[in-house]
Amino acid sequence: MLNLLLSRLATAIPSVLGVIVVTFLLTRLLPGDPAAYFAGLAATPQAVAEIRAKLGLDKSLPEQFLVYVQDLLSGNLGTSLTTGQPVTADILTRLPASAELTLLALFLAAAIAIPLGVLAAVKQGSWIDHLCRIVTTAGVSLPVFFTGLLFAYVFYYLLQIAPAPTGRLDAFLTPPPHRTGFYLIDSLLVRNTEAFWGALAQLALPAASMAIFSLAPLARMTRGSMLSVLGGDFIRTARASGLAPRTVIFTYAFRNAVLPVITVLGMVFSFLLGANVLVETVFAWPGIGLYAVNALLTSDYAPVQGFVLTMAVLYITLNLAIDLLYGLVDPRVRLDA
Amino acid sequence: MKRRHFLKSSTALTAAAGVTAPAIFSPLKAQSRQETLLVVAENTPNMMDIHGVGANRPAYEVSWNTHDRLMTYGVKKDSTGQDHYDYSKLEPELATDWNVTPTSATFKLRRDAKFHDGTPITAKDVKWSFDRAVTVGGFPTFQMRAGSLEKPEQFVVVDDHTFRVDFVRADKLSMPDLAVPVPVIMNSELAKKNATTADPWAMEWTKNNLAAGGAYKIERWQPGQEIVYVRNDDWKNGPMPKIRRVILRIIPSAGNRRALLERGDADISFDLPAKDFSDLKGSPKLNIVGTPVENAMQYIGMNVKQKPFDNVKVRQAIAYAVPYQQIQDAVMFGRAIPLYGGASNKAKGTNWPQVHGYKTDLARAKALLAEAGYPNGFETTLSFDLGLGAINEPLTLLLQQSLAQIGIKAEINKVPGANWRGELLKKSMPMITNTFGGWLNYAEYFFFWCYHGQNAVFNTMSYQNPAMDALIDKARFASGADYDAAVKGFVDMAFDEVPRIPIFQPLLNVAMQKNVTGYRYWFHRQLDYRQLAKT
C-alpha cells in the first residue's frame, strides 16, 4: 500500500512541475501591464517604471522564473496586489470557504441524487424514473448563477426567509476563531451556536443552488450504472436464489455500481471548487474562484499562479484519494495492475 | 418568517437539543445596529497605507478615516442643499492654527492629541510622515509635488508642537495640497520599530497595520471580505463622530447591493449602476444623492498626432456628430450634467468643466468633413476601457451609429481594464472615450494634466500647443484679472481646437437609508464616516 502510494506520488511530480512552468508563462503572456495598473491615477511613465522595478517586472523572464521558483521552495507564493496580502494567507482563508460550501453542496446533491438514481433504475419507467429525468434535465439546464440569483431574489428579497447574501456570516455576527477555517466546525468548537446557525443560514442558498446543478451528473451516473449492473447475470442469480430484493439491490447491485459514481463525485467536487465563481459572486462568498478571477482581471500574477498551483495539487491529491478509495470499495480493482 | 425569528427559534432549537446557547440576544443586537453603519461596496481596499505601492481607491477611504491630516476642508451647502466640502476653506485638524507667509507656513499642533497607542502626536511625527510621502516615490510623491512639496528639507520641526513648511516657490496649491488624503500623519516611533534596513519607511508593515491617530481604529480586517472599524473615543482632532462602528462589506454583485439597500439591511453604498440610481430615485425608503464630480468629465479624445484627427475640421465634425442627448438619456438615465449645447464656444467663466457650443448637427458635421477633404468619411477605431463598460459600451455604440451617418466607419475596440492604463501610456489609440477627474478643483490643474504640452498620460490626445501651454503656466501662478484672462483663453482654445470633446460631467451617486444623515461630498469621492449619523 505504501509502495503504491509512493509510486502514485512520483507520477504526480512531473505534472506539478509542468503546472509551475505553464502558469508562470501563461500569466506573463496575459495582456495588461500590472505596473501601469497599479501606478494609479497620476501615472507618469517614470512612476510606472518605478513600480515595475519594485515588482521585479523589469528583469528578464528566466530571471523572474528563478526568483519565482526560489520563493516557491520557501513556501512563498508572492503577494496579491489586489488584497495586499501574501497569497498563501489569502488561499488559506479562502480555500476553506469554498471547500465548506462545495462539500455541503455535494453532500446535499449526493443525498438526493444517489437514492433517486437507484430508485429510478430499480423502478425503470415508473413515475420516479420520470421524476429523476425531469430533475436531472432541469438541473443541467439551469446554470448555477441563474438558480443562485433566483434563490436570492425569491428567498431573500421577496420572502425574506433567507438572510442577506453578504458572505459567510451576517455582518453583525463575529466569525468564530480560526481553527479549521470551516465556520460550521469552528463555531461548534467554541460552542458559539449563534455563529453556527448564522453560518448555516448563509450556506443554505448557495449550497442549494450548487447542489441542484451537481444533482444531474450524479443521478444519471447512478441510474446508468445501476441499470447495467442490474442486468448482470449475478443479479439474476441472486434473485433466483430468493434473496430479499433489498439485499440484492444494496448489497450486490449498488456496491458494484458505485465505482463510476465515486469518479463522478470526485470530478464534480473538483469542478465545483474552482468553478463556482458565479455563485461566489452572487452570494458575496469569499471563495477561491472569485479570488482567482479578480486577480486575473487586474493582471495580478501571484494569486493566479498560486490558485492554479493549489488547484493542481488538490486535483492530484483528490485523484489519488479516489484511486485508493476504489481499492477499498471494490477489492477486485488492482491499481498496480 | 423574519431572519431574527429564525435565529431565535433556531437558538431555542439548539437549547432544546442540549447545547448551551450563548448569551447574545436580539435586543442587544438591535441597539448595536442603531450605532453601526453597514456600508456595502464593490471593491476591496488592498492596504491601509495610502503611501503604499498600488494603493487603490478603497484604500484611500481606509486611510482617510483612520488618519489625521494637519488641516481639513470646511463644509458648504451645494445648490441642492446637500453638504459639500468647501475647497476655499481650510479648517483645523491636527493643526489648531497656522500662519502663512510668502515663503513658509507655520502650524501650531494640538497639544492633547494622541495616536491610537496613546503616544502623543508631535511635530517630529508630522515631519517623518511628510518626508516619507515625498521620498517613497510613486503616487504620494507625485501628489505632494503637485503642491510644490518636493523634498524633506522643506519640513521643519520648530518644537514639539510647532511645525513649519518652507515653500520652494509660491504655489497656490501648496496649502490645499496639505489637506488631501496623501499627507497623513503617522506614528513615527511605532512605524520605525517595524522598519527594516531594506524598508526604512516600514512600507511592508503599514500595509496591514495602522500607525495612526485618526477618528476610527480598525477592529477586524478580512482582506477581500470586510473591514470593521470602531470609533477612537480619545480622538481630539475634530468633533466626536456619532457612529460607533462601521462595517464595510464587499458585495461583488451589483444586484445584491441594491437588494440589500432596498431591504434595509445595508445603510449606504456608492456602487450601483446609473440605471439603479435612476430607478431608486423615487423610492420611499432610500435617499439618493447625486453630486457633480468636480473637475471631471466623460469625453471623446482624438489623437491629434494621427491622420485624420490632425485636422481641426475633422475634430469639429466629430464634435457635431456626437449624439449628446441620446447619451444623456439612454446611457446616463439623466444622471449627469450635460457639457454640450451652449450658446457658443466662448468661455463662460473660470469654472471647469463648462458647456461648449457643439450640439448634434449631422449636416454641419458632413459639411466640415467635406471641407477637410473627407467627403466620404474614413475608417477609424474607437477604443474604450471595458472596466467601465457599463457606461462606455452603450456610449460608444451610440457614437458609432451616429458617425456611420456621416460616412465614418468606426470599429469598436474593447480594452480590458487591466490593459487600459498601458494602452493610454502608448498614446497610439486614434479615438477613445474616457473619463478623468482632478482632486484639486482648479481649471488649470485639469488642463495641466490633460492639455499641456508636457504630454502627461492624461493628455490622451497628445495635444501640444505652445500658446495653450503658455496660458496654462501663467494661470498656475497668476491671480485676479490675469488669472481669469488666462483661464478663459485656454478654455476658448480647447473648445475651438477640440482635441477632446466633453460630453458630460459625471455625478457621484450615493444611495442610503432615510435615517442616515450627515452625508458629505468629498473631492476624493470616498465616504467620510466621521460626519455620518443614524437617527
Side-chain angles (χ1 to χ4, degrees):
Chain A
M1 190 69 181
L2 189 67
N3 277 344
L4 170 75
L5 201 70
L6 286 178
S7 71
R8 295 291 300 188
L9 278 178
T11 56
I13 288 172
S15 353
V16 174
L17 288 181
V19 166
I20 292 175
V21 177
V22 169
T23 49
F24 175 82
L25 288 178
L26 270 184
T27 46
R28 261 52 181 189
L29 284 177
L30 283 178
D33 181 353
Y37 189 84
F38 287 102
L41 278 176
T44 56
Q46 183 203 347
V48 174
E50 271 171 30
I51 289 190
R52 187 168 291 130
K54 254 183 197 163
L55 301 177
L57 293 170
D58 53 343
K59 298 198 179 82
S60 70
L61 265 192
E63 271 180 283
Q64 288 187 38
F65 184 67
L66 213 67
V67 172
Y68 175 57
V69 172
Q70 273 168 0
D71 282 349
L72 264 190
L73 289 178
S74 56
N76 176 6
L77 288 173
T79 305
S80 158
L81 297 169
T82 338
T83 62
Q85 304 301 311
V87 172
T88 326
D90 270 347
I91 290 184
L92 282 180
T93 55
R94 282 163 173 272
L95 196 57
S98 282
E100 187 173 39
L101 177 59
T102 311
L103 282 174
L104 190 69
L106 209 61
F107 175 77
L108 269 178
I112 300 170
I114 294 177
L116 194 66
V118 170
L119 283 176
V122 173
K123 304 204 157 107
Q124 207 188 345
S126 72
W127 65 269
I128 201 145
D129 194 13
H130 292 303
L131 179 73
C132 177
R133 196 165 296 135
I134 291 167
V135 167
T136 54
T137 316
V140 268
S141 37
L142 292 173
V144 183
F145 70 92
F146 176 75
T147 29
L149 275 177
L150 189 74
F151 280 4
Y153 180 69
V154 172
F155 294 107
Y156 166 64
Y157 189 79
L158 290 182
L159 302 176
Q160 291 194 60
I161 304 172
T166 54
R168 300 184 75 184
L169 209 53
D170 185 277
F172 295 93
L173 293 176
T174 314
H178 185 94
R179 302 268 169 82
T180 58
F182 286 59
Y183 277 10
L184 290 183
I185 298 177
D186 286 354
S187 57
L188 285 184
L189 284 178
V190 293
R191 304 206 153 207
N192 182 349
T193 42
E194 196 183 26
F196 176 82
W197 289 108
L200 192 64
Q202 294 285 343
L203 274 165
L205 289 191
S209 41
M210 280 165 70
I212 288 183
F213 182 74
S214 40
L215 267 180
L218 286 174
R220 284 188 170 175
M221 189 46 83
T222 314
R223 180 177 177 273
S225 165
M226 276 300 277
L227 275 181
S228 70
V229 171
L230 285 173
D233 290 346
F234 70 102
I235 295 294
R236 195 188 50 196
T237 313
R239 285 207 171 116
S241 314
L243 284 178
R246 187 175 288 270
T247 321
V248 174
I249 290 165
F250 291 105
T251 317
Y252 292 91
F254 184 65
R255 257 195 101 174
N256 280 292
V258 85
L259 272 192
V261 178
I262 291 178
T263 317
V264 172
L265 212 59
M267 272 165 52
V268 171
F269 177 73
S270 41
F271 172 74
L272 284 183
L273 193 57
N276 52 16
V277 184
L278 293 161
V279 174
E280 289 178 359
T281 310
V282 170
F283 293 97
W285 205 259
I288 192 149
L290 192 59
Y291 177 65
V293 166
N294 282 338
L296 210 56
L297 289 178
T298 51
S299 291
D300 192 358
Y301 296 159
V304 179
Q305 286 167 344
F307 168 77
V308 177
L309 208 62
T310 315
M311 283 323 221
V313 171
L314 224 92
Y315 283 12
I316 290 166
T317 326
L318 199 72
N319 274 324
L320 188 67
I322 288 174
D323 282 357
L324 297 175
L325 202 62
Y326 277 177
L328 294 180
V329 173
D330 191 341
R332 290 171 307 173
V333 178
R334 296 291 301 266
L335 286 163
D336 42 358
Chain B
M1 185 157 81
K2 290 258 169 56
R3 194 180 60 81
R4 195 157 285 144
H5 296 158
F6 169 70
L7 281 174
K8 257 188 190 163
S9 58
S10 51
T11 318
L13 201 82
T14 43
V19 186
T20 347
I24 307 165
F25 294 104
S26 298
L28 188 71
K29 213 193 232 172
Q31 187 208 344
S32 83
R33 182 79 185 84
Q34 195 54 41
E35 294 176 319
T36 304
L37 187 77
L38 180 59
V39 186
V40 289
E42 179 171 15
N43 296 312
T44 175
N46 56 359
M47 58 187 78
M48 299 180 185
D49 181 9
I50 193 163
H51 295 167
V53 178
N56 57 9
R57 292 182 58 85
Y60 300 173
E61 182 167 308
V62 180
S63 176
W64 182 261
N65 287 293
T66 53
H67 290 81
D68 290 318
R69 286 140 297 270
L70 282 179
M71 301 173 292
T72 188
Y73 287 98
V75 62
K76 62 179 181 188
K77 294 278 181 200
D78 69 9
S79 57
T80 58
Q82 276 294 327
D83 283 354
H84 191 291
Y85 92 100
D86 184 353
Y87 74 89
S88 63
K89 211 158 59 189
L90 287 167
E91 287 190 350
E93 197 155 285
L94 176 66
T96 50
D97 186 18
W98 49 90
N99 177 28
V100 187
T101 70
T103 55
S104 70
T106 308
F107 296 89
K108 287 274 168 230
L109 308 185
R110 206 176 296 274
R111 287 178 177 271
D112 55 351
K114 290 189 171 61
F115 286 115
H116 292 161
D117 66 357
T119 327
I121 308 180
T122 64
K124 71 172 189 335
D125 295 301
V126 182
K127 175 168 170 54
W128 187 86
S129 310
F130 287 11
D131 287 357
R132 188 183 200 247
V134 298
T135 313
V136 294
F139 166 65
T141 304
F142 207 80
Q143 180 62 41
M144 295 296 275
R145 244 181 254 159
S148 296
L149 304 164
E150 295 167 355
K151 45 184 194 247
E153 295 78 63
Q154 286 180 267
F155 310 122
V156 183
V157 176
V158 180
D159 62 47
D160 266 6
H161 298 287
T162 317
F163 175 75
R164 195 177 76 230
V165 176
D166 292 334
F167 299 140
V168 288
R169 69 183 73 87
D171 184 336
K172 63 169 168 272
L173 296 186
S174 290
M175 290 298 282
D177 203 31
L178 284 172
V180 301
V182 167
V184 289
I185 290 147
M186 303 177 86
N187 186 337
S188 62
E189 289 309 315
L190 181 61
K192 278 187 216 159
K193 260 184 232 157
N194 294 287
T196 59
T197 37
D199 179 21
W201 297 107
M203 301 289 279
E204 269 310 308
W205 186 78
T206 53
K207 270 184 175 176
N208 292 310
N209 297 280
L210 283 181
Y216 284 92
K217 307 186 216 182
I218 288 176
E219 180 183 86
R220 188 163 71 235
W221 169 281
Q222 290 181 291
Q225 300 174 42
E226 70 167 357
I227 304 173
V228 180
Y229 299 87
V230 283
R231 188 173 68 189
N232 172 11
D233 287 333
D234 298 321
W235 192 57
K236 297 283 189 301
N237 294 326
M240 186 54 66
K242 306 261 188 336
I243 302 280
R244 261 177 207 284
R245 273 157 68 85
V246 178
I247 301 176
L248 173 83
R249 272 272 168 133
I250 308 304
I251 307 293
S253 140
N256 277 353
R257 288 192 293 273
R258 174 175 172 170
L260 286 165
L261 282 165
E262 283 196 89
R263 283 259 66 106
D265 284 323
D267 293 317
I268 188 163
S269 183
F270 280 125
D271 300 326
L272 294 180
K275 180 165 192 311
D276 282 345
F277 280 116
S278 160
D279 288 353
L280 292 174
K281 192 133 207 301
S283 157
K285 282 181 259 166
L286 295 171
N287 231 345
I288 307 290
V289 176
T291 315
V293 178
E294 285 178 342
N295 224 356
M297 66 168 64
Q298 177 90 27
Y299 66 93
I300 306 292
M302 290 159 287
N303 194 326
V304 300
K305 291 271 184 283
Q306 292 180 8
K307 279 197 177 306
F309 298 117
D310 56 342
N311 187 329
V312 64
K313 291 235 159 67
V314 174
R315 303 200 294 264
Q316 288 171 343
I318 308 261
Y320 280 114
V322 176
Y324 299 102
Q325 194 59 43
Q326 266 179 299
I327 292 173
Q328 175 74 3
D329 297 339
V331 180
M332 298 314 294
F333 300 91
R335 295 195 68 76
I337 313 285
L339 292 180
Y340 51 88
S344 74
N345 270 334
K346 284 274 160 253
K348 286 100 201 154
T350 57
N351 58 311
W352 185 258
Q354 51 177 285
V355 291
H356 55 68
Y358 299 98
K359 53 185 184 295
T360 319
D361 184 346
L362 293 179
R364 190 131 177 222
K366 256 194 148 135
L368 278 163
L369 265 190
E371 276 179 54
Y374 296 95
N376 300 317
F378 51 85
E379 286 185 17
T380 187
T381 318
L382 175 57
S383 310
F384 71 85
D385 176 4
L386 205 50
L388 299 168
I391 289 173
N392 286 340
E393 193 149 16
L395 189 155
T396 43
L397 280 173
L398 287 173
L399 180 61
Q400 186 189 37
Q401 284 174 11
S402 190
L403 289 178
Q405 291 180 40
I406 58 168
I408 299 174
K409 271 175 93 177
E411 192 191 325
I412 290 182
N413 172 31
K414 304 175 187 181
V415 183
N419 222 353
W420 181 246
R421 291 272 161 72
E423 289 297 314
L424 281 185
L425 276 170
K426 281 190 213 153
K427 304 218 174 200
S428 59
M429 295 181 286
M431 195 179 189
I432 62 168
T433 183
N434 194 24
T435 175
F436 176 83
W439 268 356
L440 300 172
N441 191 18
Y442 297 88
E444 68 276 16
Y445 185 77
F446 187 100
F447 275 73
F448 182 69
W449 291 121
C450 298
Y451 285 93
H452 195 283
Q454 62 168 345
N455 211 356
V457 58
F458 299 115
N459 184 351
T460 49
M461 314 80 68
S462 299
Y463 179 71
Q464 284 169 315
N465 177 352
M468 163 108 52
D469 294 356
L471 287 171
I472 297 171
D473 291 337
K474 190 171 162 204
R476 285 185 73 198
F477 304 104
S479 57
D482 280 355
Y483 173 78
D484 291 2
V487 171
K488 283 182 178 164
F490 62 63
V491 171
D492 284 350
M493 215 175 275
F495 285 167
D496 195 43
E497 292 260 297
V498 72
R500 81 165 55 203
I501 308 165
I503 305 176
F504 60 80
Q505 182 178 9
L507 297 178
L508 177 69
N509 290 304
V510 59
M512 54 198 154
Q513 299 299 332
K514 286 267 191 231
N515 66 349
V516 176
T517 56
Y519 167 73
R520 186 178 300 178
Y521 169 86
W522 281 95
F523 58 92
H524 47 66
R525 285 174 262 158
Q526 306 297 326
L527 203 53
D528 191 334
Y529 313 139
R530 297 175 299 182
Q531 294 109 32
L532 292 168
K534 279 171 92 173
T535 48

